[in-house]
Amino acid sequence: MSRVLLVTTNYWPEPTGIAVYTTDLAELLQKDGFEVSVLTSLPHYPWWKIPSEFAHLTEGVSRHESVELIRAKHLIPPKMNALVRIRFESSLWWNLRRVSKRLVGNDFDAVIACIPTVAAGVVGKSIAKKLGVPFWLIVQDLSGAGAKQSGLKGGALISKIALAVEGSVLKAADSMVVVSPAMRDVVLGFGVASTKVSQITNYAARNIENVNRDLARAGLGWASEDFVVIHTGNMGAKQGLENVVEAAKALGADAKVKVYLVGHGNQEANLKTLCEGIENISVVAAVADDQYSALLAAADLLLVNERSTQMEMSLPSKLTSYLYSERPVIAAVPRGGATWKFLDGIAELVEAGDPKALAKKILELKADPKRCAELADKGSLFAAKNLSPEVGRAKYLEWVGKLIVSK
């Protein structure tokens, strides 16, 4: 039986983003006959704290769904700037490295690291080198490009440091997966050989069920007559959700449109403050996994929003669920960026950072049920053809299987 160590700073029970895919991969490999261990952090994203219900998941070794979990404690900053981001990454690196020396065995056949967290890549590379085994990467995002584009104070400094470290990690990998064509181009720009790079688009790791709209609304306590627009997931700098708040203002109170920002993140408190006194927009806590299908079903329109500088970032993980939900999608994203290219032809696209244009398009769609139905059908067909979990999981099993055989 082949043993694999997965190094990632985002894993179960984190409900959004990269954790959904790292958890699915580890459990997939375990079920396929691999023996999998995961070196990871404490559950902190997207809350930027440890929720009370997960306080028992402390440093040490445990198991979940037969997968061995090795957790390290670390700094969890409630707010982010350049200095704090560097401290956060340094804390992750130091503590993952410290814990790995005590708890990680010597009988692994390969190490897989998942980035954007620079620390996961560096620690994964170090362990693989120490054990003399292959080092593989899954590139969900890149911190260097992300920091430069996110608008984070001091982002240029973070970007310079992260790009240098990420470059060394990318070049050290024996093989890697990227999740979008845009990410592939960035990786090749670091000088990585194209033969080492495989593309596997993120698939629908969550099971999205078809829930009755009115029942979903009733369960959430939302008015059935409103035209509901929902944005889910992380509330961070790169989402630029201030744009959505301004769009809500531009909609006007009499439009019968209600916007819900659902999730958590380091911009959550600021967004709540910005929404005060605006009747048609609310910040709502994230729902449990078993309620997520109902949440999406309650929407008339699902929203993706990005800062105008987000050109080379990975695709938002929410897109897979959105497109499977049989609801129309609207995206306020940079023209020509990764998300724009991905959604072109299957979603309504609006230029990022233009709240009046976003408000106008929402009102147009509200008045055009036929167009909404058309977008919902296009998204659903695209998802069935391109985002199938069976296809995505098969590609990962093929990738790992070939590498194990050729080791």
Side-chain angles (χ1 to χ4, degrees):
M1 179 183 292
S2 297
R3 292 201 68 203
V4 175
L5 176 67
L6 175 62
V7 184
T8 174
T9 55
N10 298 102
Y11 197 78
W12 171 89
E14 293 181 358
T16 62
I18 291 167
V20 175
Y21 293 101
T22 54
T23 305
D24 196 66
L25 175 63
E27 293 176 3
L28 173 69
L29 292 175
Q30 186 78 25
K31 290 174 183 176
D32 198 59
F34 292 86
E35 189 172 341
V36 183
S37 296
V38 179
L39 176 62
T40 190
S41 63
L42 304 179
H44 63 278
Y45 183 87
W47 318 280
W48 291 102
K49 63 180 181 180
I50 301 176
S52 58
E53 62 265 37
F54 304 133
H56 64 287
L57 298 175
T58 56
E59 180 171 297
V61 180
S62 61
R63 282 193 175 270
H64 178 71
E65 299 293 339
S66 300
V67 176
E68 181 184 57
L69 304 183
I70 306 164
R71 294 192 186 271
K73 64 182 180 181
H74 55 92
L75 170 73
I76 304 176
K79 294 184 179 181
M80 199 66 71
N81 57 37
L83 180 59
V84 173
R85 180 75 198 195
I86 292 171
R87 287 181 61 207
F88 172 61
E89 286 278 3
S90 298
S91 175
L92 286 170
W93 165 76
W94 177 265
N95 288 292
L96 288 172
R97 178 173 167 270
R98 173 183 57 80
V99 168
S100 71
K101 288 182 176 180
R102 293 191 296 112
L103 301 176
V104 173
N106 296 314
D107 54 347
F108 290 100
D109 296 291
V111 175
I112 304 174
C114 182
I115 57 178
T117 317
V118 177
V122 173
V123 172
K125 180 182 77 167
S126 176
I127 294 173
K129 183 177 180 181
K130 177 185 175 183
L131 300 182
V133 300
F135 172 54
W136 308 328
L137 268 180
I138 298 173
V139 186
Q140 287 278 358
D141 212 339
L142 287 168
S143 290
K148 189 174 182 180
Q149 299 168 15
S150 68
L152 192 67
K153 186 177 180 182
L157 173 62
I158 301 174
S159 178
K160 187 175 182 179
I161 296 171
L163 285 169
V165 179
E166 282 175 337
S168 67
V169 172
L170 291 167
K171 291 174 184 176
D174 297 294
S175 182
M176 70 182 68
V177 163
V178 296
V179 298
S180 72
M183 193 62 66
R184 181 186 181 90
D185 291 342
V186 174
V187 164
L188 296 179
F190 277 91
V192 176
S194 60
T195 53
K196 290 185 176 183
V197 184
S198 300
Q199 183 185 321
I200 304 177
T201 304
N202 281 342
Y203 52 89
R206 274 180 166 145
N207 182 31
I208 302 300
E209 300 173 348
N210 191 359
V211 180
N212 178 272
R213 173 187 176 276
D214 291 335
L215 288 176
R217 291 268 181 104
L220 292 163
W222 295 351
S224 61
E225 67 271 15
D226 286 340
F227 187 82
V228 171
V229 182
I230 297 177
H231 180 284
T232 72
N234 186 42
M235 299 176 180
K238 71 180 183 180
Q239 281 73 36
L241 292 172
E242 300 84 359
N243 180 64
V244 182
V245 178
E246 292 301 312
K249 290 180 183 178
L251 286 168
D254 299 328
K256 279 293 183 181
V257 177
K258 183 69 177 181
V259 181
Y260 292 100
L261 305 178
V262 184
H264 301 283
N266 58 30
Q267 297 299 308
E268 183 178 355
N270 179 52
L271 289 167
K272 287 180 177 178
T273 300
L274 292 175
C275 290
E276 289 177 359
I278 309 174
E279 293 184 1
N280 59 356
I281 186 168
S282 300
V283 177
V284 179
V287 301
D289 274 354
D290 60 0
Q291 297 175 302
Y292 193 64
S293 291
L295 174 70
L296 299 184
D300 292 297
L301 191 59
L302 295 171
L303 171 65
V304 182
N305 194 85
E306 294 177 344
R307 289 180 61 87
S308 58
T309 53
Q310 297 295 121
M311 295 299 292
E312 293 178 341
M313 304 297 287
S314 65
L315 297 168
S317 59
K318 66 173 72 69
L319 286 180
T320 55
S321 299
Y322 276 17
L323 295 172
Y324 260 105
S325 70
E326 300 181 16
R327 291 293 183 270
V329 176
I330 184 170
V333 296
R335 184 182 296 273
T339 306
W340 182 289
K341 291 177 180 177
F342 182 77
L343 290 175
D344 193 12
I346 57 173
E348 198 71 47
L349 299 175
V350 181
E351 193 72 57
D354 189 340
K356 290 184 179 179
L358 176 57
K360 180 181 178 183
K361 189 59 67 175
I362 289 171
L363 292 176
E364 287 178 4
L365 290 171
K366 177 177 179 287
D368 192 351
K370 184 178 179 181
R371 174 62 175 162
C372 286
E374 179 184 292
L375 289 171
D377 287 343
K378 285 183 176 181
S380 182
L381 289 170
F382 179 87
K385 184 177 180 180
N386 299 282
L387 305 178
S388 160
E390 291 77 19
V391 172
R393 288 169 180 150
K395 287 181 179 179
Y396 270 108
L397 287 176
E398 181 182 12
W399 178 62
V400 174
K402 283 183 177 179
L403 293 173
I404 287 289
V405 169
S406 63
K407 181 177 73 73

PDB file of all heavy atoms in Angstrom, residues 126-162:
ATOM      1  N   SER A 126      10.527  20.540   1.884  1.00  0.00           N
ATOM      2  CA  SER A 126      11.554  20.153   2.853  1.00  0.00           C
ATOM      3  C   SER A 126      11.390  18.700   3.305  1.00  0.00           C
ATOM      4  O   SER A 126      12.374  17.953   3.399  1.00  0.00           O
ATOM      5  CB  SER A 126      11.501  21.104   4.062  1.00  0.00           C
ATOM      6  OG  SER A 126      12.419  20.714   5.051  1.00  0.00           O
ATOM      7  N   ILE A 127      10.163  18.291   3.590  1.00  0.00           N
ATOM      8  CA  ILE A 127       9.919  16.917   4.043  1.00  0.00           C
ATOM      9  C   ILE A 127      10.265  15.927   2.933  1.00  0.00           C
ATOM     10  O   ILE A 127      10.893  14.887   3.173  1.00  0.00           O
ATOM     11  CB  ILE A 127       8.459  16.746   4.485  1.00  0.00           C
ATOM     12  CG1 ILE A 127       8.178  17.585   5.741  1.00  0.00           C
ATOM     13  CG2 ILE A 127       8.146  15.281   4.769  1.00  0.00           C
ATOM     14  CD1 ILE A 127       6.714  17.614   6.146  1.00  0.00           C
ATOM     15  N   ALA A 128       9.843  16.236   1.707  1.00  0.00           N
ATOM     16  CA  ALA A 128      10.125  15.338   0.580  1.00  0.00           C
ATOM     17  C   ALA A 128      11.631  15.171   0.381  1.00  0.00           C
ATOM     18  O   ALA A 128      12.122  14.059   0.138  1.00  0.00           O
ATOM     19  CB  ALA A 128       9.477  15.884  -0.688  1.00  0.00           C
ATOM     20  N   LYS A 129      12.366  16.270   0.494  1.00  0.00           N
ATOM     21  CA  LYS A 129      13.826  16.217   0.330  1.00  0.00           C
ATOM     22  C   LYS A 129      14.464  15.379   1.428  1.00  0.00           C
ATOM     23  O   LYS A 129      15.351  14.553   1.170  1.00  0.00           O
ATOM     24  CB  LYS A 129      14.402  17.631   0.339  1.00  0.00           C
ATOM     25  CG  LYS A 129      15.902  17.678   0.104  1.00  0.00           C
ATOM     26  CD  LYS A 129      16.402  19.119   0.056  1.00  0.00           C
ATOM     27  CE  LYS A 129      17.903  19.156  -0.191  1.00  0.00           C
ATOM     28  NZ  LYS A 129      18.405  20.555  -0.220  1.00  0.00           N
ATOM     29  N   LYS A 130      13.990  15.574   2.663  1.00  0.00           N
ATOM     30  CA  LYS A 130      14.529  14.826   3.798  1.00  0.00           C
ATOM     31  C   LYS A 130      14.282  13.330   3.639  1.00  0.00           C
ATOM     32  O   LYS A 130      15.156  12.501   3.934  1.00  0.00           O
ATOM     33  CB  LYS A 130      13.893  15.330   5.091  1.00  0.00           C
ATOM     34  CG  LYS A 130      14.321  14.568   6.335  1.00  0.00           C
ATOM     35  CD  LYS A 130      13.562  15.056   7.553  1.00  0.00           C
ATOM     36  CE  LYS A 130      13.901  14.208   8.785  1.00  0.00           C
ATOM     37  NZ  LYS A 130      13.124  14.629   9.975  1.00  0.00           N
ATOM     38  N   LEU A 131      13.072  12.967   3.163  1.00  0.00           N
ATOM     39  CA  LEU A 131      12.726  11.548   3.020  1.00  0.00           C
ATOM     40  C   LEU A 131      13.226  10.946   1.718  1.00  0.00           C
ATOM     41  O   LEU A 131      13.190   9.726   1.542  1.00  0.00           O
ATOM     42  CB  LEU A 131      11.202  11.380   3.102  1.00  0.00           C
ATOM     43  CG  LEU A 131      10.514  11.830   4.395  1.00  0.00           C
ATOM     44  CD1 LEU A 131       9.011  11.557   4.318  1.00  0.00           C
ATOM     45  CD2 LEU A 131      11.123  11.145   5.605  1.00  0.00           C
ATOM     46  N   GLY A 132      13.657  11.793   0.789  1.00  0.00           N
ATOM     47  CA  GLY A 132      14.131  11.304  -0.496  1.00  0.00           C
ATOM     48  C   GLY A 132      13.018  10.742  -1.362  1.00  0.00           C
ATOM     49  O   GLY A 132      13.200   9.743  -2.076  1.00  0.00           O
ATOM     50  N   VAL A 133      11.834  11.388  -1.305  1.00  0.00           N
ATOM     51  CA  VAL A 133      10.674  10.924  -2.083  1.00  0.00           C
ATOM     52  C   VAL A 133      10.208  12.041  -3.009  1.00  0.00           C
ATOM     53  O   VAL A 133      10.567  13.204  -2.830  1.00  0.00           O
ATOM     54  CB  VAL A 133       9.514  10.490  -1.146  1.00  0.00           C
ATOM     55  CG1 VAL A 133       9.962   9.348  -0.246  1.00  0.00           C
ATOM     56  CG2 VAL A 133       8.998  11.668  -0.316  1.00  0.00           C
ATOM     57  N   PRO A 134       9.401  11.720  -4.025  1.00  0.00           N
ATOM     58  CA  PRO A 134       8.919  12.746  -4.950  1.00  0.00           C
ATOM     59  C   PRO A 134       8.093  13.829  -4.245  1.00  0.00           C
ATOM     60  O   PRO A 134       7.388  13.558  -3.264  1.00  0.00           O
ATOM     61  CB  PRO A 134       8.046  11.949  -5.935  1.00  0.00           C
ATOM     62  CG  PRO A 134       8.552  10.557  -5.847  1.00  0.00           C
ATOM     63  CD  PRO A 134       8.981  10.364  -4.435  1.00  0.00           C
ATOM     64  N   PHE A 135       8.185  15.033  -4.796  1.00  0.00           N
ATOM     65  CA  PHE A 135       7.451  16.184  -4.272  1.00  0.00           C
ATOM     66  C   PHE A 135       6.515  16.693  -5.356  1.00  0.00           C
ATOM     67  O   PHE A 135       6.951  17.080  -6.436  1.00  0.00           O
ATOM     68  CB  PHE A 135       8.433  17.286  -3.859  1.00  0.00           C
ATOM     69  CG  PHE A 135       7.773  18.583  -3.479  1.00  0.00           C
ATOM     70  CD1 PHE A 135       6.774  18.624  -2.517  1.00  0.00           C
ATOM     71  CD2 PHE A 135       8.159  19.778  -4.076  1.00  0.00           C
ATOM     72  CE1 PHE A 135       6.173  19.821  -2.172  1.00  0.00           C
ATOM     73  CE2 PHE A 135       7.574  20.975  -3.732  1.00  0.00           C
ATOM     74  CZ  PHE A 135       6.565  20.992  -2.776  1.00  0.00           C
ATOM     75  N   TRP A 136       5.208  16.652  -5.066  1.00  0.00           N
ATOM     76  CA  TRP A 136       4.200  17.078  -6.021  1.00  0.00           C
ATOM     77  C   TRP A 136       3.420  18.257  -5.462  1.00  0.00           C
ATOM     78  O   TRP A 136       3.269  18.400  -4.254  1.00  0.00           O
ATOM     79  CB  TRP A 136       3.233  15.933  -6.344  1.00  0.00           C
ATOM     80  CG  TRP A 136       3.929  14.673  -6.766  1.00  0.00           C
ATOM     81  CD1 TRP A 136       5.109  14.567  -7.442  1.00  0.00           C
ATOM     82  CD2 TRP A 136       3.482  13.332  -6.538  1.00  0.00           C
ATOM     83  NE1 TRP A 136       5.421  13.253  -7.666  1.00  0.00           N
ATOM     84  CE2 TRP A 136       4.441  12.464  -7.113  1.00  0.00           C
ATOM     85  CE3 TRP A 136       2.377  12.779  -5.927  1.00  0.00           C
ATOM     86  CZ2 TRP A 136       4.325  11.082  -7.077  1.00  0.00           C
ATOM     87  CZ3 TRP A 136       2.241  11.401  -5.887  1.00  0.00           C
ATOM     88  CH2 TRP A 136       3.215  10.563  -6.464  1.00  0.00           C
ATOM     89  N   LEU A 137       2.908  19.081  -6.354  1.00  0.00           N
ATOM     90  CA  LEU A 137       2.196  20.298  -5.950  1.00  0.00           C
ATOM     91  C   LEU A 137       0.805  20.364  -6.565  1.00  0.00           C
ATOM     92  O   LEU A 137       0.603  19.945  -7.711  1.00  0.00           O
ATOM     93  CB  LEU A 137       2.957  21.546  -6.426  1.00  0.00           C
ATOM     94  CG  LEU A 137       3.983  22.216  -5.529  1.00  0.00           C
ATOM     95  CD1 LEU A 137       4.561  23.424  -6.257  1.00  0.00           C
ATOM     96  CD2 LEU A 137       3.383  22.638  -4.202  1.00  0.00           C
ATOM     97  N   ILE A 138      -0.126  20.931  -5.808  1.00  0.00           N
ATOM     98  CA  ILE A 138      -1.420  21.354  -6.348  1.00  0.00           C
ATOM     99  C   ILE A 138      -1.472  22.864  -6.177  1.00  0.00           C
ATOM    100  O   ILE A 138      -1.430  23.374  -5.050  1.00  0.00           O
ATOM    101  CB  ILE A 138      -2.597  20.688  -5.623  1.00  0.00           C
ATOM    102  CG1 ILE A 138      -2.531  19.178  -5.794  1.00  0.00           C
ATOM    103  CG2 ILE A 138      -3.931  21.236  -6.153  1.00  0.00           C
ATOM    104  CD1 ILE A 138      -3.563  18.415  -4.985  1.00  0.00           C
ATOM    105  N   VAL A 139      -1.531  23.584  -7.291  1.00  0.00           N
ATOM    106  CA  VAL A 139      -1.490  25.056  -7.260  1.00  0.00           C
ATOM    107  C   VAL A 139      -2.918  25.579  -7.424  1.00  0.00           C
ATOM    108  O   VAL A 139      -3.415  25.728  -8.533  1.00  0.00           O
ATOM    109  CB  VAL A 139      -0.563  25.621  -8.361  1.00  0.00           C
ATOM    110  CG1 VAL A 139      -0.430  27.131  -8.210  1.00  0.00           C
ATOM    111  CG2 VAL A 139       0.802  24.958  -8.299  1.00  0.00           C
ATOM    112  N   GLN A 140      -3.556  25.841  -6.287  1.00  0.00           N
ATOM    113  CA  GLN A 140      -4.899  26.427  -6.300  1.00  0.00           C
ATOM    114  C   GLN A 140      -4.837  27.941  -6.465  1.00  0.00           C
ATOM    115  O   GLN A 140      -5.767  28.564  -6.959  1.00  0.00           O
ATOM    116  CB  GLN A 140      -5.623  26.095  -4.990  1.00  0.00           C
ATOM    117  CG  GLN A 140      -6.080  24.655  -4.853  1.00  0.00           C
ATOM    118  CD  GLN A 140      -7.391  24.404  -5.579  1.00  0.00           C
ATOM    119  OE1 GLN A 140      -7.985  25.302  -6.154  1.00  0.00           O
ATOM    120  NE2 GLN A 140      -7.851  23.163  -5.553  1.00  0.00           N
ATOM    121  N   ASP A 141      -3.731  28.525  -6.063  1.00  0.00           N
ATOM    122  CA  ASP A 141      -3.567  29.976  -6.085  1.00  0.00           C
ATOM    123  C   ASP A 141      -2.090  30.275  -5.866  1.00  0.00           C
ATOM    124  O   ASP A 141      -1.320  29.383  -5.519  1.00  0.00           O
ATOM    125  CB  ASP A 141      -4.406  30.617  -4.972  1.00  0.00           C
ATOM    126  CG  ASP A 141      -4.928  31.996  -5.357  1.00  0.00           C
ATOM    127  OD1 ASP A 141      -4.332  32.611  -6.267  1.00  0.00           O
ATOM    128  OD2 ASP A 141      -5.910  32.449  -4.764  1.00  0.00           O
ATOM    129  N   LEU A 142      -1.698  31.526  -6.053  1.00  0.00           N
ATOM    130  CA  LEU A 142      -0.327  31.937  -5.809  1.00  0.00           C
ATOM    131  C   LEU A 142      -0.340  33.196  -4.953  1.00  0.00           C
ATOM    132  O   LEU A 142      -0.946  34.198  -5.319  1.00  0.00           O
ATOM    133  CB  LEU A 142       0.410  32.189  -7.123  1.00  0.00           C
ATOM    134  CG  LEU A 142       0.769  30.932  -7.923  1.00  0.00           C
ATOM    135  CD1 LEU A 142       1.220  31.285  -9.329  1.00  0.00           C
ATOM    136  CD2 LEU A 142       1.846  30.118  -7.205  1.00  0.00           C
ATOM    137  N   SER A 143       0.305  33.134  -3.804  1.00  0.00           N
ATOM    138  CA  SER A 143       0.277  34.254  -2.861  1.00  0.00           C
ATOM    139  C   SER A 143       0.958  35.488  -3.425  1.00  0.00           C
ATOM    140  O   SER A 143       0.536  36.610  -3.152  1.00  0.00           O
ATOM    141  CB  SER A 143       0.965  33.850  -1.549  1.00  0.00           C
ATOM    142  OG  SER A 143       0.188  32.903  -0.860  1.00  0.00           O
ATOM    143  N   GLY A 144       2.024  35.294  -4.210  1.00  0.00           N
ATOM    144  CA  GLY A 144       2.744  36.443  -4.755  1.00  0.00           C
ATOM    145  C   GLY A 144       1.867  37.282  -5.654  1.00  0.00           C
ATOM    146  O   GLY A 144       1.708  38.493  -5.461  1.00  0.00           O
ATOM    147  N   ALA A 145       1.258  36.628  -6.651  1.00  0.00           N
ATOM    148  CA  ALA A 145       0.354  37.340  -7.559  1.00  0.00           C
ATOM    149  C   ALA A 145      -0.858  37.852  -6.808  1.00  0.00           C
ATOM    150  O   ALA A 145      -1.332  38.971  -7.033  1.00  0.00           O
ATOM    151  CB  ALA A 145      -0.084  36.416  -8.692  1.00  0.00           C
ATOM    152  N   GLY A 146      -1.351  37.045  -5.863  1.00  0.00           N
ATOM    153  CA  GLY A 146      -2.535  37.432  -5.111  1.00  0.00           C
ATOM    154  C   GLY A 146      -2.317  38.671  -4.267  1.00  0.00           C
ATOM    155  O   GLY A 146      -3.172  39.561  -4.224  1.00  0.00           O
ATOM    156  N   ALA A 147      -1.186  38.749  -3.597  1.00  0.00           N
ATOM    157  CA  ALA A 147      -0.906  39.907  -2.745  1.00  0.00           C
ATOM    158  C   ALA A 147      -0.791  41.179  -3.569  1.00  0.00           C
ATOM    159  O   ALA A 147      -1.260  42.244  -3.175  1.00  0.00           O
ATOM    160  CB  ALA A 147       0.387  39.661  -1.967  1.00  0.00           C
ATOM    161  N   LYS A 148      -0.186  41.051  -4.733  1.00  0.00           N
ATOM    162  CA  LYS A 148      -0.008  42.226  -5.601  1.00  0.00           C
ATOM    163  C   LYS A 148      -1.340  42.752  -6.103  1.00  0.00           C
ATOM    164  O   LYS A 148      -1.540  43.961  -6.263  1.00  0.00           O
ATOM    165  CB  LYS A 148       0.897  41.849  -6.775  1.00  0.00           C
ATOM    166  CG  LYS A 148       1.331  43.027  -7.634  1.00  0.00           C
ATOM    167  CD  LYS A 148       2.333  42.561  -8.684  1.00  0.00           C
ATOM    168  CE  LYS A 148       2.822  43.737  -9.530  1.00  0.00           C
ATOM    169  NZ  LYS A 148       3.803  43.286 -10.549  1.00  0.00           N
ATOM    170  N   GLN A 149      -2.294  41.838  -6.344  1.00  0.00           N
ATOM    171  CA  GLN A 149      -3.562  42.211  -6.947  1.00  0.00           C
ATOM    172  C   GLN A 149      -4.670  42.488  -5.937  1.00  0.00           C
ATOM    173  O   GLN A 149      -5.705  43.040  -6.277  1.00  0.00           O
ATOM    174  CB  GLN A 149      -4.036  41.088  -7.877  1.00  0.00           C
ATOM    175  CG  GLN A 149      -3.088  40.813  -9.025  1.00  0.00           C
ATOM    176  CD  GLN A 149      -3.421  39.528  -9.754  1.00  0.00           C
ATOM    177  OE1 GLN A 149      -4.502  38.972  -9.591  1.00  0.00           O
ATOM    178  NE2 GLN A 149      -2.494  39.040 -10.556  1.00  0.00           N
ATOM    179  N   SER A 150      -4.471  42.116  -4.657  1.00  0.00           N
ATOM    180  CA  SER A 150      -5.560  42.122  -3.690  1.00  0.00           C
ATOM    181  C   SER A 150      -5.890  43.483  -3.115  1.00  0.00           C
ATOM    182  O   SER A 150      -6.941  43.664  -2.510  1.00  0.00           O
ATOM    183  CB  SER A 150      -5.210  41.179  -2.529  1.00  0.00           C
ATOM    184  OG  SER A 150      -4.127  41.717  -1.785  1.00  0.00           O
ATOM    185  N   GLY A 151      -4.981  44.443  -3.257  1.00  0.00           N
ATOM    186  CA  GLY A 151      -5.229  45.740  -2.652  1.00  0.00           C
ATOM    187  C   GLY A 151      -4.863  45.783  -1.179  1.00  0.00           C
ATOM    188  O   GLY A 151      -5.092  46.782  -0.494  1.00  0.00           O
ATOM    189  N   LEU A 152      -4.297  44.703  -0.643  1.00  0.00           N
ATOM    190  CA  LEU A 152      -3.878  44.646   0.749  1.00  0.00           C
ATOM    191  C   LEU A 152      -2.770  45.661   0.994  1.00  0.00           C
ATOM    192  O   LEU A 152      -1.857  45.801   0.187  1.00  0.00           O
ATOM    193  CB  LEU A 152      -3.363  43.238   1.067  1.00  0.00           C
ATOM    194  CG  LEU A 152      -3.137  42.851   2.519  1.00  0.00           C
ATOM    195  CD1 LEU A 152      -4.454  42.785   3.277  1.00  0.00           C
ATOM    196  CD2 LEU A 152      -2.421  41.508   2.595  1.00  0.00           C
ATOM    197  N   LYS A 153      -2.872  46.388   2.093  1.00  0.00           N
ATOM    198  CA  LYS A 153      -1.856  47.369   2.427  1.00  0.00           C
ATOM    199  C   LYS A 153      -0.503  46.682   2.571  1.00  0.00           C
ATOM    200  O   LYS A 153      -0.351  45.721   3.306  1.00  0.00           O
ATOM    201  CB  LYS A 153      -2.221  48.082   3.735  1.00  0.00           C
ATOM    202  CG  LYS A 153      -1.283  49.220   4.092  1.00  0.00           C
ATOM    203  CD  LYS A 153      -1.737  49.925   5.355  1.00  0.00           C
ATOM    204  CE  LYS A 153      -0.789  51.067   5.702  1.00  0.00           C
ATOM    205  NZ  LYS A 153      -1.204  51.746   6.964  1.00  0.00           N
ATOM    206  N   GLY A 154       0.488  47.164   1.838  1.00  0.00           N
ATOM    207  CA  GLY A 154       1.798  46.533   1.851  1.00  0.00           C
ATOM    208  C   GLY A 154       1.880  45.331   0.935  1.00  0.00           C
ATOM    209  O   GLY A 154       2.825  44.542   1.009  1.00  0.00           O
ATOM    210  N   GLY A 155       0.902  45.182   0.051  1.00  0.00           N
ATOM    211  CA  GLY A 155       0.847  44.017  -0.822  1.00  0.00           C
ATOM    212  C   GLY A 155       2.065  43.864  -1.717  1.00  0.00           C
ATOM    213  O   GLY A 155       2.485  42.756  -2.018  1.00  0.00           O
ATOM    214  N   ALA A 156       2.648  44.968  -2.149  1.00  0.00           N
ATOM    215  CA  ALA A 156       3.821  44.898  -3.022  1.00  0.00           C
ATOM    216  C   ALA A 156       4.989  44.221  -2.316  1.00  0.00           C
ATOM    217  O   ALA A 156       5.739  43.442  -2.917  1.00  0.00           O
ATOM    218  CB  ALA A 156       4.211  46.299  -3.477  1.00  0.00           C
ATOM    219  N   LEU A 157       5.156  44.507  -1.010  1.00  0.00           N
ATOM    220  CA  LEU A 157       6.225  43.885  -0.232  1.00  0.00           C
ATOM    221  C   LEU A 157       5.988  42.392  -0.084  1.00  0.00           C
ATOM    222  O   LEU A 157       6.896  41.574  -0.306  1.00  0.00           O
ATOM    223  CB  LEU A 157       6.307  44.540   1.152  1.00  0.00           C
ATOM    224  CG  LEU A 157       7.263  43.887   2.161  1.00  0.00           C
ATOM    225  CD1 LEU A 157       8.696  43.938   1.648  1.00  0.00           C
ATOM    226  CD2 LEU A 157       7.144  44.568   3.527  1.00  0.00           C
ATOM    227  N   ILE A 158       4.749  42.021   0.278  1.00  0.00           N
ATOM    228  CA  ILE A 158       4.416  40.600   0.402  1.00  0.00           C
ATOM    229  C   ILE A 158       4.658  39.891  -0.922  1.00  0.00           C
ATOM    230  O   ILE A 158       5.215  38.799  -0.978  1.00  0.00           O
ATOM    231  CB  ILE A 158       2.943  40.414   0.811  1.00  0.00           C
ATOM    232  CG1 ILE A 158       2.654  41.109   2.128  1.00  0.00           C
ATOM    233  CG2 ILE A 158       2.597  38.932   0.915  1.00  0.00           C
ATOM    234  CD1 ILE A 158       1.191  41.083   2.509  1.00  0.00           C
ATOM    235  N   SER A 159       4.239  40.523  -2.011  1.00  0.00           N
ATOM    236  CA  SER A 159       4.354  39.927  -3.329  1.00  0.00           C
ATOM    237  C   SER A 159       5.807  39.624  -3.677  1.00  0.00           C
ATOM    238  O   SER A 159       6.119  38.534  -4.179  1.00  0.00           O
ATOM    239  CB  SER A 159       3.749  40.863  -4.375  1.00  0.00           C
ATOM    240  OG  SER A 159       3.897  40.334  -5.670  1.00  0.00           O
ATOM    241  N   LYS A 160       6.679  40.556  -3.400  1.00  0.00           N
ATOM    242  CA  LYS A 160       8.098  40.384  -3.732  1.00  0.00           C
ATOM    243  C   LYS A 160       8.693  39.192  -2.995  1.00  0.00           C
ATOM    244  O   LYS A 160       9.418  38.373  -3.581  1.00  0.00           O
ATOM    245  CB  LYS A 160       8.866  41.657  -3.392  1.00  0.00           C
ATOM    246  CG  LYS A 160      10.302  41.653  -3.854  1.00  0.00           C
ATOM    247  CD  LYS A 160      10.954  43.004  -3.596  1.00  0.00           C
ATOM    248  CE  LYS A 160      12.400  43.016  -4.101  1.00  0.00           C
ATOM    249  NZ  LYS A 160      13.042  44.338  -3.882  1.00  0.00           N
ATOM    250  N   ILE A 161       8.377  39.077  -1.699  1.00  0.00           N
ATOM    251  CA  ILE A 161       8.901  37.978  -0.892  1.00  0.00           C
ATOM    252  C   ILE A 161       8.278  36.652  -1.329  1.00  0.00           C
ATOM    253  O   ILE A 161       8.972  35.656  -1.545  1.00  0.00           O
ATOM    254  CB  ILE A 161       8.616  38.221   0.602  1.00  0.00           C
ATOM    255  CG1 ILE A 161       9.355  39.476   1.081  1.00  0.00           C
ATOM    256  CG2 ILE A 161       9.023  37.008   1.435  1.00  0.00           C
ATOM    257  CD1 ILE A 161       8.964  39.924   2.475  1.00  0.00           C
ATOM    258  N   ALA A 162       6.941  36.660  -1.484  1.00  0.00           N
ATOM    259  CA  ALA A 162       6.232  35.427  -1.824  1.00  0.00           C
ATOM    260  C   ALA A 162       6.635  34.889  -3.189  1.00  0.00           C
ATOM    261  O   ALA A 162       6.799  33.677  -3.370  1.00  0.00           O
ATOM    262  CB  ALA A 162       4.732  35.655  -1.772  1.00  0.00           C
TER     263      ALA A 162
END
